[in-house]
Amino acid sequence: MDKRVALVPGEQTFQARIDAEEKIEPKDWMPEKYRQNLIRQISQHAHSEVIGEQPEGNWITRAPSLERKAILMAKVQDEAGHGLYLYAATETLGITREELIDRLHTGASKYASIFNYPSLTWADIGAIGWLVDSAAIVNQVSLQNTSYGPYARAMVRICKEESFHQRQGYNIMMTLMNGSQVQRDMAQDALDRWWWPSLMMFGPHDGESAHSAQSMKWKIKRRSNDDLRQQFVDQAVQQAEAIGLVVPDPDLQWDDARGHYDFGAIDWEEFERVISGNGPCNRQRLAHHKRAHREGAWVREAMAVHEAKQRLSNEDVA
Ligand code: FAQ
């Protein structure tokens, strides 16, 4: 029996536009599932940018020099900005910021698993910039061609800024590797702890990825989880070797036939634990976000009153 669901005309036209690489804009017709899937992915992305400020913010007051402090502050502010562009892009799909934040706070909406790990030493700031921002860029470069216009455009600027973030992280690792034995050990220890969680950032293997098939068809995602993860490994291994770091994977080896590095098995039980709220810092991250949100309520209220007054005085003039 043919199990294909008959497409209503709107869906056929929509898919034809996607296949022709047209961008879908906020006021265009779109299938409800496309809209919901985008809200899910873009808001998860926005939450990740904002929650991701916490492990790095942890080191602003303890940066080893004024220059490093200024760079780290600029980076963390950039991440806040990325969160804002992405929340704004999500709001064009007809959901309010309050609802999005509520979904984060109730656990209905996820954020990147990586930000539930602690930043224990200054070298972790190097590892986050180098590995986490690299992983983010590899994915986001492909998302510059995502089918939803506001998301694609946000990605262009975000990618430029993430490139600087990646460089500053690698530069921290390079400096530590040129330093004392204690500094080199610190850098290696950071790589040991951040390597596997970085590989998990790309999500489950393609065969296990619940959303991939539909998201690829709608061109919300342009490359598969495994494809992106492989690109990340191929780049990062060479960068590690160039500065004398050892990737903590005994199964890692260059495969001539594939033209890629083979790598060991990812601990998916750990991934599941972290995305279901039981990673090392999940509770702390959410509690901190909730507190900051509560304490900022008066700012949002003042802004709302100000906006309402502006609107009234504009109406008076008109
Ligand atoms: N963490 O079916 P799939 C950054 C969930 S930005 C948590 O494969 P999908 C910048 C997934 O949501 C980093 N959950 O899902 C920065 C789904 O659950 P759901 C963020 C994960 O969407 C740097 C379920 O597993 N980047 O780092 C993760 O097709 C430094 C099944 O998975 C983006 O968000 C995970 N790692 O593919 C900031 C990029 N992986 O929603 C500060 C945009 C999977 O049904 C400092 N997002 N899940 O409950 C994407 O490209 C995709 O959403 C994927 C996942 C690839 C993350």
Side-chain angles (χ1 to χ4, degrees):
M1 196 174 73
D2 187 352
K3 289 193 178 152
R4 278 174 304 178
V5 179
L7 291 172
V8 299
E11 285 177 346
Q12 273 175 350
T13 313
F14 179 80
Q15 189 62 49
R17 292 189 62 199
I18 298 273
D19 294 344
E21 296 288 333
E22 277 183 40
K23 290 278 176 263
I24 306 301
E25 297 298 339
K27 289 187 176 155
D28 295 348
W29 186 88
M30 61 186 83
E32 184 55 19
K33 284 188 178 161
Y34 176 87
R35 196 175 73 82
Q36 292 300 341
N37 196 14
L38 270 177
I39 289 176
R40 182 193 64 80
Q41 178 169 322
I42 311 177
S43 64
Q44 171 174 307
H45 196 164
H47 300 325
S48 305
E49 301 280 358
V50 171
I51 298 281
E53 290 175 79
Q54 291 188 39
E56 294 187 308
N58 182 32
W59 279 90
I60 289 176
T61 54
R62 290 174 289 162
S65 69
L66 183 60
E67 192 190 10
R68 289 289 187 202
K69 183 171 180 158
I71 294 170
L72 183 57
M73 279 171 58
K75 179 194 191 300
V76 172
Q77 282 180 0
D78 284 351
E79 307 298 1
H82 299 174
L84 290 180
Y85 316 150
L86 290 167
Y87 282 127
T90 321
E91 285 171 85
T92 64
L93 291 155
I95 185 163
T96 65
R97 184 81 61 95
E98 290 71 27
E99 286 173 276
L100 294 170
I101 302 296
D102 192 56
R103 287 183 185 188
L104 171 68
H105 287 174
T106 58
S109 178
K110 295 187 171 74
Y111 58 87
S113 48
I114 189 93
F115 300 120
N116 292 305
Y117 292 84
S119 50
L120 302 177
T121 70
W122 171 251
D124 288 17
I125 299 308
I128 293 174
W130 169 39
L131 298 173
V132 179
D133 281 281
S134 282
I137 296 168
V138 164
N139 190 1
Q140 289 168 173
V141 163
S142 75
L143 291 174
Q144 291 180 120
N145 290 320
T146 189
S147 56
Y148 189 56
Y151 192 22
R153 290 189 286 275
M155 281 300 114
V156 174
R157 175 159 175 189
I158 290 178
C159 281
K160 289 200 170 78
E161 292 175 351
E162 302 288 30
S163 301
F164 146 66
H165 300 166
Q166 194 274 349
R167 283 303 185 90
Q168 66 86 40
Y170 192 60
N171 183 272
I172 290 174
M173 296 306 257
M174 229 159 58
T175 306
L176 290 172
M177 290 307 286
N178 281 327
S180 66
Q181 188 58 46
V182 173
Q183 287 171 314
R184 284 196 291 277
D185 291 347
M186 204 196 285
Q188 182 63 51
D189 171 62
L191 171 59
D192 291 348
R193 285 180 291 105
W194 290 91
W195 176 255
W196 291 104
S198 298
L199 263 56
M200 293 175 198
M201 279 181 76
F202 297 94
H205 285 310
D206 294 348
E208 308 292 322
S209 163
H211 302 289
S212 274
Q214 185 61 70
S215 292
M216 298 282 278
K217 186 163 180 242
W218 277 331
K219 300 189 178 172
I220 290 174
K221 281 166 82 163
R222 302 307 308 249
R223 292 176 61 195
S224 80
N225 297 1
D226 282 328
D227 186 19
L228 293 165
R229 185 168 17 240
Q230 182 71 62
Q231 184 185 334
F232 168 79
V233 170
D234 291 347
Q235 282 175 201
V237 168
Q238 293 186 2
Q239 289 163 349
E241 282 172 1
I243 55 174
L245 285 164
V246 180
V247 173
D249 179 356
D251 296 323
L252 188 75
Q253 58 175 9
W254 178 254
D255 182 331
D256 242 347
R258 288 200 314 122
H260 292 291
Y261 283 94
D262 293 333
F263 51 95
I266 292 169
D267 181 350
W268 293 113
E269 279 178 19
E270 175 178 325
F271 174 75
E272 283 303 325
R273 224 174 19 251
V274 175
I275 67 170
S276 57
N278 295 311
C281 299
N282 295 59
R283 285 174 188 78
Q284 182 188 329
R285 299 286 185 245
L286 267 188
H288 184 83
H289 192 280
K290 284 179 188 169
R291 192 175 66 244
H293 191 65
R294 215 171 33 244
E295 288 173 358
W298 68 272
V299 179
R300 294 191 296 279
E301 280 160 24
M303 293 288 291
V305 171
H306 176 71
E307 270 174 32
K309 279 189 177 165
Q310 286 287 112
R311 233 187 346 264
L312 282 176
S313 69
N314 287 347
E315 278 168 15
D316 281 351
V317 173

PDB file of all heavy atoms in Angstrom, residues 46-57 75-76 79 111 115 128 285:
ATOM      1  N   ALA A  46      19.179  29.967  20.137  1.00  0.00           N
ATOM      2  CA  ALA A  46      19.232  31.220  20.908  1.00  0.00           C
ATOM      3  C   ALA A  46      19.551  30.941  22.379  1.00  0.00           C
ATOM      4  O   ALA A  46      20.429  31.581  22.978  1.00  0.00           O
ATOM      5  CB  ALA A  46      17.894  31.961  20.795  1.00  0.00           C
ATOM      6  N   HIS A  47      18.857  29.969  22.954  1.00  0.00           N
ATOM      7  CA  HIS A  47      19.112  29.636  24.365  1.00  0.00           C
ATOM      8  C   HIS A  47      20.577  29.222  24.558  1.00  0.00           C
ATOM      9  O   HIS A  47      21.197  29.553  25.570  1.00  0.00           O
ATOM     10  CB  HIS A  47      18.237  28.460  24.828  1.00  0.00           C
ATOM     11  CG  HIS A  47      16.754  28.688  24.732  1.00  0.00           C
ATOM     12  ND1 HIS A  47      16.164  29.909  24.953  1.00  0.00           N
ATOM     13  CD2 HIS A  47      15.724  27.818  24.465  1.00  0.00           C
ATOM     14  CE1 HIS A  47      14.845  29.790  24.805  1.00  0.00           C
ATOM     15  NE2 HIS A  47      14.552  28.543  24.506  1.00  0.00           N
ATOM     16  N   SER A  48      21.119  28.488  23.573  1.00  0.00           N
ATOM     17  CA  SER A  48      22.505  28.018  23.682  1.00  0.00           C
ATOM     18  C   SER A  48      23.467  29.201  23.746  1.00  0.00           C
ATOM     19  O   SER A  48      24.411  29.210  24.545  1.00  0.00           O
ATOM     20  CB  SER A  48      22.879  27.150  22.476  1.00  0.00           C
ATOM     21  OG  SER A  48      21.980  26.094  22.328  1.00  0.00           O
ATOM     22  N   GLU A  49      23.221  30.180  22.884  1.00  0.00           N
ATOM     23  CA  GLU A  49      24.107  31.352  22.876  1.00  0.00           C
ATOM     24  C   GLU A  49      24.086  32.036  24.248  1.00  0.00           C
ATOM     25  O   GLU A  49      25.118  32.452  24.760  1.00  0.00           O
ATOM     26  CB  GLU A  49      23.660  32.358  21.802  1.00  0.00           C
ATOM     27  CG  GLU A  49      23.644  31.823  20.374  1.00  0.00           C
ATOM     28  CD  GLU A  49      25.022  31.786  19.706  1.00  0.00           C
ATOM     29  OE1 GLU A  49      26.001  32.209  20.338  1.00  0.00           O
ATOM     30  OE2 GLU A  49      25.100  31.313  18.554  1.00  0.00           O
ATOM     31  N   VAL A  50      22.896  32.148  24.819  1.00  0.00           N
ATOM     32  CA  VAL A  50      22.761  32.898  26.070  1.00  0.00           C
ATOM     33  C   VAL A  50      23.278  32.077  27.261  1.00  0.00           C
ATOM     34  O   VAL A  50      24.057  32.575  28.081  1.00  0.00           O
ATOM     35  CB  VAL A  50      21.288  33.336  26.268  1.00  0.00           C
ATOM     36  CG1 VAL A  50      21.071  33.913  27.652  1.00  0.00           C
ATOM     37  CG2 VAL A  50      20.908  34.363  25.195  1.00  0.00           C
ATOM     38  N   ILE A  51      22.889  30.814  27.339  1.00  0.00           N
ATOM     39  CA  ILE A  51      23.385  29.980  28.453  1.00  0.00           C
ATOM     40  C   ILE A  51      24.907  29.804  28.318  1.00  0.00           C
ATOM     41  O   ILE A  51      25.629  29.714  29.309  1.00  0.00           O
ATOM     42  CB  ILE A  51      22.680  28.605  28.486  1.00  0.00           C
ATOM     43  CG1 ILE A  51      21.177  28.775  28.725  1.00  0.00           C
ATOM     44  CG2 ILE A  51      23.307  27.683  29.537  1.00  0.00           C
ATOM     45  CD1 ILE A  51      20.733  29.029  30.136  1.00  0.00           C
ATOM     46  N   GLY A  52      25.395  29.809  27.069  1.00  0.00           N
ATOM     47  CA  GLY A  52      26.831  29.657  26.822  1.00  0.00           C
ATOM     48  C   GLY A  52      27.664  30.796  27.397  1.00  0.00           C
ATOM     49  O   GLY A  52      28.888  30.684  27.519  1.00  0.00           O
ATOM     50  N   GLU A  53      27.013  31.897  27.750  1.00  0.00           N
ATOM     51  CA  GLU A  53      27.764  32.988  28.391  1.00  0.00           C
ATOM     52  C   GLU A  53      28.235  32.606  29.789  1.00  0.00           C
ATOM     53  O   GLU A  53      29.186  33.181  30.308  1.00  0.00           O
ATOM     54  CB  GLU A  53      26.873  34.232  28.529  1.00  0.00           C
ATOM     55  CG  GLU A  53      26.557  34.924  27.231  1.00  0.00           C
ATOM     56  CD  GLU A  53      25.585  36.054  27.474  1.00  0.00           C
ATOM     57  OE1 GLU A  53      26.016  37.122  27.929  1.00  0.00           O
ATOM     58  OE2 GLU A  53      24.372  35.859  27.232  1.00  0.00           O
ATOM     59  N   GLN A  54      27.551  31.643  30.407  1.00  0.00           N
ATOM     60  CA  GLN A  54      27.851  31.360  31.819  1.00  0.00           C
ATOM     61  C   GLN A  54      29.221  30.719  32.054  1.00  0.00           C
ATOM     62  O   GLN A  54      29.983  31.220  32.889  1.00  0.00           O
ATOM     63  CB  GLN A  54      26.744  30.510  32.436  1.00  0.00           C
ATOM     64  CG  GLN A  54      25.438  31.268  32.576  1.00  0.00           C
ATOM     65  CD  GLN A  54      24.399  30.464  33.362  1.00  0.00           C
ATOM     66  OE1 GLN A  54      24.721  29.791  34.334  1.00  0.00           O
ATOM     67  NE2 GLN A  54      23.155  30.535  32.948  1.00  0.00           N
ATOM     68  N   PRO A  55      29.571  29.629  31.343  1.00  0.00           N
ATOM     69  CA  PRO A  55      30.902  29.059  31.612  1.00  0.00           C
ATOM     70  C   PRO A  55      32.036  30.037  31.301  1.00  0.00           C
ATOM     71  O   PRO A  55      33.073  30.014  31.974  1.00  0.00           O
ATOM     72  CB  PRO A  55      30.966  27.825  30.690  1.00  0.00           C
ATOM     73  CG  PRO A  55      29.764  27.860  29.817  1.00  0.00           C
ATOM     74  CD  PRO A  55      28.778  28.797  30.432  1.00  0.00           C
ATOM     75  N   GLU A  56      31.841  30.906  30.311  1.00  0.00           N
ATOM     76  CA  GLU A  56      32.910  31.860  29.980  1.00  0.00           C
ATOM     77  C   GLU A  56      32.885  33.057  30.924  1.00  0.00           C
ATOM     78  O   GLU A  56      33.935  33.528  31.371  1.00  0.00           O
ATOM     79  CB  GLU A  56      32.753  32.326  28.534  1.00  0.00           C
ATOM     80  CG  GLU A  56      32.974  31.194  27.547  1.00  0.00           C
ATOM     81  CD  GLU A  56      32.990  31.672  26.114  1.00  0.00           C
ATOM     82  OE1 GLU A  56      32.041  32.373  25.715  1.00  0.00           O
ATOM     83  OE2 GLU A  56      33.935  31.355  25.402  1.00  0.00           O
ATOM     84  N   GLY A  57      31.674  33.520  31.244  1.00  0.00           N
ATOM     85  CA  GLY A  57      31.534  34.663  32.163  1.00  0.00           C
ATOM     86  C   GLY A  57      32.213  34.359  33.498  1.00  0.00           C
ATOM     87  O   GLY A  57      32.739  35.263  34.163  1.00  0.00           O
ATOM     88  N   LYS A  75      33.816  38.932  23.685  1.00  0.00           N
ATOM     89  CA  LYS A  75      33.278  37.670  23.168  1.00  0.00           C
ATOM     90  C   LYS A  75      31.951  37.339  23.837  1.00  0.00           C
ATOM     91  O   LYS A  75      30.961  37.002  23.177  1.00  0.00           O
ATOM     92  CB  LYS A  75      34.281  36.525  23.400  1.00  0.00           C
ATOM     93  CG  LYS A  75      33.735  35.189  22.900  1.00  0.00           C
ATOM     94  CD  LYS A  75      34.545  34.021  23.407  1.00  0.00           C
ATOM     95  CE  LYS A  75      34.194  32.705  22.714  1.00  0.00           C
ATOM     96  NZ  LYS A  75      32.814  32.272  22.860  1.00  0.00           N
ATOM     97  N   VAL A  76      31.920  37.480  25.161  1.00  0.00           N
ATOM     98  CA  VAL A  76      30.695  37.119  25.885  1.00  0.00           C
ATOM     99  C   VAL A  76      29.552  38.056  25.466  1.00  0.00           C
ATOM    100  O   VAL A  76      28.406  37.628  25.297  1.00  0.00           O
ATOM    101  CB  VAL A  76      30.948  37.119  27.414  1.00  0.00           C
ATOM    102  CG1 VAL A  76      29.655  36.942  28.182  1.00  0.00           C
ATOM    103  CG2 VAL A  76      31.933  35.999  27.774  1.00  0.00           C
ATOM    104  N   GLU A  79      28.114  36.886  22.249  1.00  0.00           N
ATOM    105  CA  GLU A  79      27.207  35.733  22.391  1.00  0.00           C
ATOM    106  C   GLU A  79      25.818  36.216  22.816  1.00  0.00           C
ATOM    107  O   GLU A  79      24.803  35.687  22.346  1.00  0.00           O
ATOM    108  CB  GLU A  79      27.744  34.703  23.408  1.00  0.00           C
ATOM    109  CG  GLU A  79      29.159  34.203  23.191  1.00  0.00           C
ATOM    110  CD  GLU A  79      29.408  33.464  21.878  1.00  0.00           C
ATOM    111  OE1 GLU A  79      28.471  33.343  21.072  1.00  0.00           O
ATOM    112  OE2 GLU A  79      30.549  33.029  21.652  1.00  0.00           O
ATOM    113  N   TYR A 111      18.860  23.406  25.205  1.00  0.00           N
ATOM    114  CA  TYR A 111      19.981  24.238  24.733  1.00  0.00           C
ATOM    115  C   TYR A 111      21.182  23.303  24.627  1.00  0.00           C
ATOM    116  O   TYR A 111      21.136  22.176  25.120  1.00  0.00           O
ATOM    117  CB  TYR A 111      20.243  25.422  25.690  1.00  0.00           C
ATOM    118  CG  TYR A 111      20.555  25.018  27.108  1.00  0.00           C
ATOM    119  CD1 TYR A 111      21.857  24.728  27.503  1.00  0.00           C
ATOM    120  CD2 TYR A 111      19.540  24.905  28.053  1.00  0.00           C
ATOM    121  CE1 TYR A 111      22.141  24.342  28.799  1.00  0.00           C
ATOM    122  CE2 TYR A 111      19.818  24.507  29.351  1.00  0.00           C
ATOM    123  CZ  TYR A 111      21.113  24.239  29.722  1.00  0.00           C
ATOM    124  OH  TYR A 111      21.390  23.837  31.011  1.00  0.00           O
ATOM    125  N   PHE A 115      27.128  23.273  27.242  1.00  0.00           N
ATOM    126  CA  PHE A 115      27.200  24.331  28.251  1.00  0.00           C
ATOM    127  C   PHE A 115      26.808  23.845  29.648  1.00  0.00           C
ATOM    128  O   PHE A 115      26.713  24.638  30.579  1.00  0.00           O
ATOM    129  CB  PHE A 115      26.388  25.548  27.792  1.00  0.00           C
ATOM    130  CG  PHE A 115      26.913  26.100  26.500  1.00  0.00           C
ATOM    131  CD1 PHE A 115      26.116  26.178  25.367  1.00  0.00           C
ATOM    132  CD2 PHE A 115      28.237  26.502  26.400  1.00  0.00           C
ATOM    133  CE1 PHE A 115      26.618  26.644  24.167  1.00  0.00           C
ATOM    134  CE2 PHE A 115      28.752  26.974  25.203  1.00  0.00           C
ATOM    135  CZ  PHE A 115      27.946  27.044  24.082  1.00  0.00           C
ATOM    136  N   ILE A 128      37.050  26.256  25.092  1.00  0.00           N
ATOM    137  CA  ILE A 128      35.685  26.607  24.644  1.00  0.00           C
ATOM    138  C   ILE A 128      35.780  27.406  23.338  1.00  0.00           C
ATOM    139  O   ILE A 128      35.103  27.109  22.353  1.00  0.00           O
ATOM    140  CB  ILE A 128      34.921  27.404  25.736  1.00  0.00           C
ATOM    141  CG1 ILE A 128      34.655  26.515  26.959  1.00  0.00           C
ATOM    142  CG2 ILE A 128      33.594  27.937  25.174  1.00  0.00           C
ATOM    143  CD1 ILE A 128      34.036  27.248  28.155  1.00  0.00           C
ATOM    144  N   ARG A 285      22.969  26.126  35.759  1.00  0.00           N
ATOM    145  CA  ARG A 285      22.785  27.018  34.603  1.00  0.00           C
ATOM    146  C   ARG A 285      21.368  27.584  34.557  1.00  0.00           C
ATOM    147  O   ARG A 285      21.162  28.767  34.343  1.00  0.00           O
ATOM    148  CB  ARG A 285      23.060  26.268  33.286  1.00  0.00           C
ATOM    149  CG  ARG A 285      24.461  25.709  33.140  1.00  0.00           C
ATOM    150  CD  ARG A 285      25.482  26.784  32.869  1.00  0.00           C
ATOM    151  NE  ARG A 285      26.778  26.204  32.625  1.00  0.00           N
ATOM    152  CZ  ARG A 285      27.847  26.376  33.414  1.00  0.00           C
ATOM    153  NH1 ARG A 285      27.795  27.148  34.489  1.00  0.00           N
ATOM    154  NH2 ARG A 285      28.996  25.812  33.106  1.00  0.00           N
TER     155      ARG A 285
END
